Amino acid sequence: MDKCRIVVVGAGSGIGAATAAHFHNRGDFVVAVDVRANETPASRHLSCDLRDPASIDGLLGELGDGWDMLAHVAGIPGTWPAADVLKVNYLGMRLMTEGMLPRMRPGGSIVAVASTAAVGWEQRVDILAGLLEATDGDAVERWQAGQDPNYPVYSTSKQAVILYAKRLAGPAWAKYGVRINTVSPGPIETPILTDFEKSMGKEILDAVRSTVGRHGTVDDVVPLIDFLGSPQARWINGQDIQADAGYIASLTAGTPIAL
Ligand SMILES: NC(=O)c1ccc[n+]([C@@H]2O[C@H](COP(=O)([O-])OP(=O)(O)OC[C@H]3O[C@@H](n4cnc5c(N)ncnc54)[C@H](O)[C@@H]3O)[C@@H](O)[C@H]2O)c1
């Protein structure tokens, strides 16, 4: 296969670092983007703060065009201020995605990382539709100010990622010939997990682990990102794929089949 040109956002740590290293080691041209300096294996390293639209614009200008894939992996946990969580996880992902679309080759693919913490998004489409009307930081903050502060903002941010990708998938395919899908991991052993234990509750994460046997690793997620980005997935568009050993299915599908 020809060398692919891939942008990995959030390549400084965890799933994003493993994604960048995977494609780099395969011989692809990888640009590793992160807010932190890092030594992730890649052809090029660029800095960007997803909270800052000017920083995203600067990155897009540096990137130029002719890209086959955007792996948008960066994210922050619910231990951060709510406005930051929405600006990084939802708005930054959106600005990056819309900025990259005209820079991608037809047949290209965008894969954004959401989370199983987005479970239940289908029941919140009307609420999330308001957030999807917010396309700048002030509007995002105004929207959040009117929300129930007890609803976990990290879940909201990842629900917005899934709904946004589904609403974008048809138009992106029609206009650019580019697919967009999301990957929703369950708990994965990366540095963010300690923050999840604080914001979601350690007992909840321990319960997930005891149900499926272990937490996931980056190697449980990277092959899925690879596949969704590849031409083999050419007819898959607007999907959210959970990579969680079936935990969410066991919660949402009713009585398990007895074996
Ligand atoms: N690890 C898990 O259990 C898990 C589960 C579900 C979803 N996720 C999601 O997977 C993605 C990757 O998480 P991870 O586990 O690798 O965590 P991580 O903390 O190891 O990596 C996140 C990366 O995002 C970068 N980042 C943070 N803020 C940024 C900003 N403003 N601009 C640019 N980059 C920024 C960080 O510097 C870091 O390199 C995140 O979107 C996270 O929400 C993780």
Side-chain angles (χ1 to χ4, degrees), residues 142-159:
R142 277 197 304 277
W143 181 84
Q144 175 60 16
Q147 299 305 306
D148 176 359
N150 295 317
Y151 192 90
V153 71
Y154 178 78
S155 293
T156 297
S157 72
K158 295 300 191 176
Q159 291 168 346

PDB file of all heavy atoms in Angstrom, residues 142-159:
ATOM      1  N   ARG A 142     -21.918  29.704  27.271  1.00  0.00           N
ATOM      2  CA  ARG A 142     -23.307  30.122  27.533  1.00  0.00           C
ATOM      3  C   ARG A 142     -24.213  28.900  27.603  1.00  0.00           C
ATOM      4  O   ARG A 142     -25.087  28.804  28.462  1.00  0.00           O
ATOM      5  CB  ARG A 142     -23.788  31.077  26.423  1.00  0.00           C
ATOM      6  CG  ARG A 142     -23.378  32.523  26.625  1.00  0.00           C
ATOM      7  CD  ARG A 142     -24.217  33.460  25.758  1.00  0.00           C
ATOM      8  NE  ARG A 142     -24.159  33.133  24.337  1.00  0.00           N
ATOM      9  CZ  ARG A 142     -23.186  33.531  23.510  1.00  0.00           C
ATOM     10  NH1 ARG A 142     -22.195  34.287  23.963  1.00  0.00           N
ATOM     11  NH2 ARG A 142     -23.206  33.197  22.231  1.00  0.00           N
ATOM     12  N   TRP A 143     -24.001  27.959  26.694  1.00  0.00           N
ATOM     13  CA  TRP A 143     -24.826  26.746  26.686  1.00  0.00           C
ATOM     14  C   TRP A 143     -24.638  25.985  27.998  1.00  0.00           C
ATOM     15  O   TRP A 143     -25.612  25.603  28.643  1.00  0.00           O
ATOM     16  CB  TRP A 143     -24.455  25.858  25.486  1.00  0.00           C
ATOM     17  CG  TRP A 143     -25.290  24.625  25.424  1.00  0.00           C
ATOM     18  CD1 TRP A 143     -26.532  24.483  24.870  1.00  0.00           C
ATOM     19  CD2 TRP A 143     -24.966  23.338  25.998  1.00  0.00           C
ATOM     20  NE1 TRP A 143     -26.998  23.196  25.050  1.00  0.00           N
ATOM     21  CE2 TRP A 143     -26.058  22.484  25.744  1.00  0.00           C
ATOM     22  CE3 TRP A 143     -23.879  22.839  26.699  1.00  0.00           C
ATOM     23  CZ2 TRP A 143     -26.074  21.151  26.148  1.00  0.00           C
ATOM     24  CZ3 TRP A 143     -23.894  21.501  27.125  1.00  0.00           C
ATOM     25  CH2 TRP A 143     -24.987  20.688  26.840  1.00  0.00           C
ATOM     26  N   GLN A 144     -23.392  25.803  28.413  1.00  0.00           N
ATOM     27  CA  GLN A 144     -23.101  25.025  29.614  1.00  0.00           C
ATOM     28  C   GLN A 144     -23.702  25.692  30.854  1.00  0.00           C
ATOM     29  O   GLN A 144     -24.154  25.010  31.775  1.00  0.00           O
ATOM     30  CB  GLN A 144     -21.579  24.833  29.767  1.00  0.00           C
ATOM     31  CG  GLN A 144     -21.134  24.132  31.045  1.00  0.00           C
ATOM     32  CD  GLN A 144     -21.690  22.715  31.218  1.00  0.00           C
ATOM     33  OE1 GLN A 144     -22.185  22.114  30.253  1.00  0.00           O
ATOM     34  NE2 GLN A 144     -21.663  22.198  32.434  1.00  0.00           N
ATOM     35  N   ALA A 145     -23.731  27.039  30.867  1.00  0.00           N
ATOM     36  CA  ALA A 145     -24.276  27.761  32.027  1.00  0.00           C
ATOM     37  C   ALA A 145     -25.745  27.421  32.253  1.00  0.00           C
ATOM     38  O   ALA A 145     -26.247  27.526  33.375  1.00  0.00           O
ATOM     39  CB  ALA A 145     -24.096  29.268  31.832  1.00  0.00           C
ATOM     40  N   GLY A 146     -26.436  27.000  31.214  1.00  0.00           N
ATOM     41  CA  GLY A 146     -27.859  26.671  31.352  1.00  0.00           C
ATOM     42  C   GLY A 146     -28.116  25.196  31.619  1.00  0.00           C
ATOM     43  O   GLY A 146     -29.269  24.752  31.641  1.00  0.00           O
ATOM     44  N   GLN A 147     -27.047  24.409  31.829  1.00  0.00           N
ATOM     45  CA  GLN A 147     -27.219  22.962  32.005  1.00  0.00           C
ATOM     46  C   GLN A 147     -27.208  22.566  33.477  1.00  0.00           C
ATOM     47  O   GLN A 147     -26.721  23.309  34.327  1.00  0.00           O
ATOM     48  CB  GLN A 147     -26.092  22.209  31.272  1.00  0.00           C
ATOM     49  CG  GLN A 147     -26.070  22.464  29.783  1.00  0.00           C
ATOM     50  CD  GLN A 147     -27.397  22.159  29.121  1.00  0.00           C
ATOM     51  OE1 GLN A 147     -27.932  21.062  29.252  1.00  0.00           O
ATOM     52  NE2 GLN A 147     -27.951  23.136  28.408  1.00  0.00           N
ATOM     53  N   ASP A 148     -27.723  21.379  33.749  1.00  0.00           N
ATOM     54  CA  ASP A 148     -27.672  20.807  35.090  1.00  0.00           C
ATOM     55  C   ASP A 148     -26.204  20.553  35.461  1.00  0.00           C
ATOM     56  O   ASP A 148     -25.540  19.733  34.824  1.00  0.00           O
ATOM     57  CB  ASP A 148     -28.456  19.482  35.076  1.00  0.00           C
ATOM     58  CG  ASP A 148     -28.380  18.741  36.400  1.00  0.00           C
ATOM     59  OD1 ASP A 148     -27.698  19.245  37.322  1.00  0.00           O
ATOM     60  OD2 ASP A 148     -28.987  17.659  36.487  1.00  0.00           O
ATOM     61  N   PRO A 149     -25.698  21.267  36.495  1.00  0.00           N
ATOM     62  CA  PRO A 149     -24.276  21.100  36.843  1.00  0.00           C
ATOM     63  C   PRO A 149     -23.961  19.707  37.371  1.00  0.00           C
ATOM     64  O   PRO A 149     -22.794  19.320  37.460  1.00  0.00           O
ATOM     65  CB  PRO A 149     -24.045  22.169  37.924  1.00  0.00           C
ATOM     66  CG  PRO A 149     -25.386  22.527  38.436  1.00  0.00           C
ATOM     67  CD  PRO A 149     -26.393  22.232  37.365  1.00  0.00           C
ATOM     68  N   ASN A 150     -24.992  18.936  37.723  1.00  0.00           N
ATOM     69  CA  ASN A 150     -24.750  17.594  38.250  1.00  0.00           C
ATOM     70  C   ASN A 150     -24.590  16.543  37.150  1.00  0.00           C
ATOM     71  O   ASN A 150     -24.165  15.421  37.427  1.00  0.00           O
ATOM     72  CB  ASN A 150     -25.888  17.166  39.185  1.00  0.00           C
ATOM     73  CG  ASN A 150     -25.915  18.051  40.412  1.00  0.00           C
ATOM     74  OD1 ASN A 150     -24.856  18.346  40.981  1.00  0.00           O
ATOM     75  ND2 ASN A 150     -27.093  18.508  40.791  1.00  0.00           N
ATOM     76  N   TYR A 151     -24.952  16.908  35.920  1.00  0.00           N
ATOM     77  CA  TYR A 151     -24.759  15.928  34.841  1.00  0.00           C
ATOM     78  C   TYR A 151     -23.290  15.979  34.416  1.00  0.00           C
ATOM     79  O   TYR A 151     -22.756  17.060  34.153  1.00  0.00           O
ATOM     80  CB  TYR A 151     -25.667  16.243  33.641  1.00  0.00           C
ATOM     81  CG  TYR A 151     -25.688  15.073  32.662  1.00  0.00           C
ATOM     82  CD1 TYR A 151     -26.623  14.055  32.790  1.00  0.00           C
ATOM     83  CD2 TYR A 151     -24.736  14.970  31.649  1.00  0.00           C
ATOM     84  CE1 TYR A 151     -26.615  12.967  31.924  1.00  0.00           C
ATOM     85  CE2 TYR A 151     -24.721  13.885  30.788  1.00  0.00           C
ATOM     86  CZ  TYR A 151     -25.669  12.888  30.930  1.00  0.00           C
ATOM     87  OH  TYR A 151     -25.652  11.811  30.079  1.00  0.00           O
ATOM     88  N   PRO A 152     -22.612  14.812  34.352  1.00  0.00           N
ATOM     89  CA  PRO A 152     -21.161  14.838  34.080  1.00  0.00           C
ATOM     90  C   PRO A 152     -20.819  15.445  32.726  1.00  0.00           C
ATOM     91  O   PRO A 152     -21.267  14.957  31.685  1.00  0.00           O
ATOM     92  CB  PRO A 152     -20.749  13.366  34.133  1.00  0.00           C
ATOM     93  CG  PRO A 152     -21.939  12.586  34.543  1.00  0.00           C
ATOM     94  CD  PRO A 152     -23.141  13.467  34.573  1.00  0.00           C
ATOM     95  N   VAL A 153     -20.035  16.526  32.767  1.00  0.00           N
ATOM     96  CA  VAL A 153     -19.747  17.270  31.538  1.00  0.00           C
ATOM     97  C   VAL A 153     -18.872  16.447  30.583  1.00  0.00           C
ATOM     98  O   VAL A 153     -18.954  16.609  29.366  1.00  0.00           O
ATOM     99  CB  VAL A 153     -19.126  18.644  31.875  1.00  0.00           C
ATOM    100  CG1 VAL A 153     -17.708  18.494  32.400  1.00  0.00           C
ATOM    101  CG2 VAL A 153     -19.152  19.582  30.673  1.00  0.00           C
ATOM    102  N   TYR A 154     -18.049  15.559  31.139  1.00  0.00           N
ATOM    103  CA  TYR A 154     -17.240  14.692  30.259  1.00  0.00           C
ATOM    104  C   TYR A 154     -18.167  13.837  29.388  1.00  0.00           C
ATOM    105  O   TYR A 154     -17.948  13.708  28.177  1.00  0.00           O
ATOM    106  CB  TYR A 154     -16.310  13.802  31.096  1.00  0.00           C
ATOM    107  CG  TYR A 154     -15.475  12.852  30.265  1.00  0.00           C
ATOM    108  CD1 TYR A 154     -14.342  13.308  29.590  1.00  0.00           C
ATOM    109  CD2 TYR A 154     -15.821  11.503  30.140  1.00  0.00           C
ATOM    110  CE1 TYR A 154     -13.572  12.433  28.821  1.00  0.00           C
ATOM    111  CE2 TYR A 154     -15.051  10.632  29.382  1.00  0.00           C
ATOM    112  CZ  TYR A 154     -13.930  11.101  28.720  1.00  0.00           C
ATOM    113  OH  TYR A 154     -13.175  10.236  27.948  1.00  0.00           O
ATOM    114  N   SER A 155     -19.220  13.282  30.002  1.00  0.00           N
ATOM    115  CA  SER A 155     -20.175  12.484  29.219  1.00  0.00           C
ATOM    116  C   SER A 155     -20.830  13.346  28.150  1.00  0.00           C
ATOM    117  O   SER A 155     -20.948  12.943  26.991  1.00  0.00           O
ATOM    118  CB  SER A 155     -21.252  11.883  30.130  1.00  0.00           C
ATOM    119  OG  SER A 155     -20.669  10.940  30.990  1.00  0.00           O
ATOM    120  N   THR A 156     -21.244  14.553  28.545  1.00  0.00           N
ATOM    121  CA  THR A 156     -21.852  15.468  27.572  1.00  0.00           C
ATOM    122  C   THR A 156     -20.905  15.722  26.403  1.00  0.00           C
ATOM    123  O   THR A 156     -21.305  15.689  25.237  1.00  0.00           O
ATOM    124  CB  THR A 156     -22.208  16.808  28.245  1.00  0.00           C
ATOM    125  OG1 THR A 156     -23.193  16.564  29.247  1.00  0.00           O
ATOM    126  CG2 THR A 156     -22.749  17.814  27.236  1.00  0.00           C
ATOM    127  N   SER A 157     -19.631  15.966  26.720  1.00  0.00           N
ATOM    128  CA  SER A 157     -18.673  16.303  25.654  1.00  0.00           C
ATOM    129  C   SER A 157     -18.513  15.152  24.673  1.00  0.00           C
ATOM    130  O   SER A 157     -18.417  15.366  23.457  1.00  0.00           O
ATOM    131  CB  SER A 157     -17.314  16.690  26.259  1.00  0.00           C
ATOM    132  OG  SER A 157     -16.629  15.574  26.798  1.00  0.00           O
ATOM    133  N   LYS A 158     -18.518  13.923  25.181  1.00  0.00           N
ATOM    134  CA  LYS A 158     -18.323  12.763  24.301  1.00  0.00           C
ATOM    135  C   LYS A 158     -19.622  12.408  23.564  1.00  0.00           C
ATOM    136  O   LYS A 158     -19.596  11.931  22.422  1.00  0.00           O
ATOM    137  CB  LYS A 158     -17.801  11.567  25.109  1.00  0.00           C
ATOM    138  CG  LYS A 158     -16.404  11.805  25.691  1.00  0.00           C
ATOM    139  CD  LYS A 158     -15.356  12.074  24.600  1.00  0.00           C
ATOM    140  CE  LYS A 158     -13.938  12.045  25.134  1.00  0.00           C
ATOM    141  NZ  LYS A 158     -12.919  12.218  24.086  1.00  0.00           N
ATOM    142  N   GLN A 159     -20.762  12.674  24.197  1.00  0.00           N
ATOM    143  CA  GLN A 159     -22.041  12.511  23.487  1.00  0.00           C
ATOM    144  C   GLN A 159     -22.089  13.462  22.300  1.00  0.00           C
ATOM    145  O   GLN A 159     -22.546  13.102  21.204  1.00  0.00           O
ATOM    146  CB  GLN A 159     -23.215  12.801  24.437  1.00  0.00           C
ATOM    147  CG  GLN A 159     -23.380  11.754  25.523  1.00  0.00           C
ATOM    148  CD  GLN A 159     -24.345  12.179  26.619  1.00  0.00           C
ATOM    149  OE1 GLN A 159     -24.705  13.363  26.728  1.00  0.00           O
ATOM    150  NE2 GLN A 159     -24.759  11.226  27.439  1.00  0.00           N
TER     151      GLN A 159
END
